[in-house]
Amino acid sequence: MDIDDRLADVRFRPAVYGISTLRDACVFLYGFNAASENRVLRGFQEWVDPGPLVWASVVSGLLEKRDPSFSGLDDGAQVAALFDLVAEFRAERGDPLPAPPSPRRDRAATRVIVLNGGSSSGKSAIARSLQTVLPEPWLTLGVDTLIDAMPASVDEGIDFAADGGVSVGSGFRRLEEAWMTGVAAMARAGARVIIDDVFLGGAASQQRWRAGLDGAGLDGLDVLWVGVRCDGAVAAAREAARGDRVVGMAETQAEVVHRGVAYDLEVDTGVKDALDCAREIAARIK
């Protein structure tokens, strides 16, 4: 039970705490304040009246000033009025001291690297290079892994237009959500995972990954978010050389996949080769 819950309980059940009069309430508050390292009443007197009043004047004078009928109230009502005043003070002022520090944790090791970039931006080459330069074994899983695992036909699945556009339906999203949850479970079980993805929805796509990697009621994984940039014309030339992508996809996706996405690091494969990009990323791994 925190401080405010305890004060509320005292206000509604004063007899349980041995409080029957205003004086009893004052004694209790003094002791509770001291036991709570002055977190209950720090600044209270200045809040209720900045003048040079002593505690007794604050309690009897101020409460009567706020409610002229205070002096005629019975003991129980006066006690309740005092605790209501303290609750109002705490609600307005907040807790003047920082909350107790969270249990100390050693610096968390990076468990997941998310590479986001358009088609033919060089993500897969970076992922393979990362597997070479990183000392521990890392698994590489990409959106192509998910698509290749799907049956040939999925209701409301994913469609690739002749001009390079990609449309995603609700059936694909349901399978993608389950896949994301599974990837996160692998990382929590101890695997280090490199995710090679294309955030067609920009920030919304990143949020779906965050939901999976944070997990409901679970400690969030330490994730390194990496934007893989590449000029659209450069990516389009790679696309043409590959011959296994719909023409137009690379240039269409080059910028849109980065919209609204927050990164820890960005690399540009039009300026550096995949190995140099991988080394730059590896230097950020905890």
Side-chain angles (χ1 to χ4, degrees):
M1 187 177 294
D2 66 16
I3 288 174
D4 294 301
D5 288 340
R6 177 66 67 190
L7 289 171
D9 189 54
V10 176
R11 185 252 186 266
F12 288 105
R13 302 191 305 161
V16 172
Y17 296 86
I19 298 172
S20 59
T21 66
L22 188 61
R23 183 179 180 282
D24 295 337
C26 291
V27 170
F28 172 87
L29 281 170
Y30 265 133
F32 189 42
N33 185 53
S36 304
E37 299 179 344
N38 198 23
R39 298 182 71 172
V40 180
L41 299 172
R42 185 190 298 271
F44 177 66
Q45 181 168 318
E46 292 78 7
W47 178 77
V48 294
D49 192 321
L53 296 176
V54 296
W55 173 258
S57 298
V58 171
V59 172
S60 61
L62 181 75
L63 288 175
E64 189 165 356
K65 182 168 61 177
R66 291 165 66 94
D67 181 2
S69 65
F70 175 78
S71 60
L73 298 176
D74 60 30
D75 288 333
Q78 288 189 355
V79 169
L82 173 60
F83 280 97
D84 286 344
L85 182 65
V86 172
E88 180 184 338
F89 157 68
R90 288 184 55 78
E92 181 176 314
R93 179 214 57 178
D95 198 326
L97 298 178
S102 300
R104 184 184 179 278
R105 296 194 317 173
D106 292 334
R107 190 182 185 196
T110 303
R111 307 302 305 184
V112 180
I113 303 170
V114 179
L115 305 176
N116 173 51
S119 178
S120 298
S121 62
K123 303 183 306 299
S124 297
I126 290 175
R128 288 193 296 271
S129 295
L130 280 168
Q131 288 179 309
T132 299
V133 302
L134 290 170
E136 302 87 1
W138 286 73
L139 301 177
T140 296
L141 299 170
V143 64
D144 289 344
T145 312
L146 170 62
I147 293 172
D148 290 344
M150 289 183 173
S153 178
V154 176
D155 290 339
E156 298 294 324
I158 185 168
D159 293 311
F160 300 93
D163 62 356
V166 181
S167 60
V168 175
S170 59
F172 179 89
R173 288 294 184 219
R174 285 192 295 272
L175 293 172
E176 180 189 47
E177 181 179 356
W179 180 71
M180 289 176 169
T181 302
V183 172
M186 292 172 62
R188 287 195 180 88
R192 294 175 174 85
V193 181
I194 302 167
I195 297 169
D196 171 352
D197 206 349
V198 180
F199 288 0
L200 294 175
S205 297
Q206 184 178 37
Q207 185 54 42
R208 283 195 292 275
W209 267 117
R210 287 191 188 280
L213 296 172
D214 285 346
L218 296 171
D219 289 336
L221 294 163
D222 194 284
V223 181
L224 184 70
W225 299 91
V226 181
V228 180
R229 299 273 185 176
C230 183
D231 181 78
V234 175
R238 293 174 181 169
E239 177 181 74
R242 292 174 64 170
D244 62 351
R245 290 289 187 271
V246 178
V247 175
M249 185 182 298
E251 194 157 11
T252 299
Q253 296 176 0
E255 293 299 327
V256 69
V257 299
H258 299 292
R259 290 178 184 168
V261 180
Y263 296 118
D264 299 304
L265 172 67
E266 295 186 40
V267 295
D268 189 335
T269 63
V271 177
K272 297 180 179 179
D273 64 24
L275 184 56
D276 285 340
C277 291
R279 286 171 175 153
E280 187 176 346
I281 295 167
R284 299 287 295 272
I285 301 300
K286 298 175 184 176

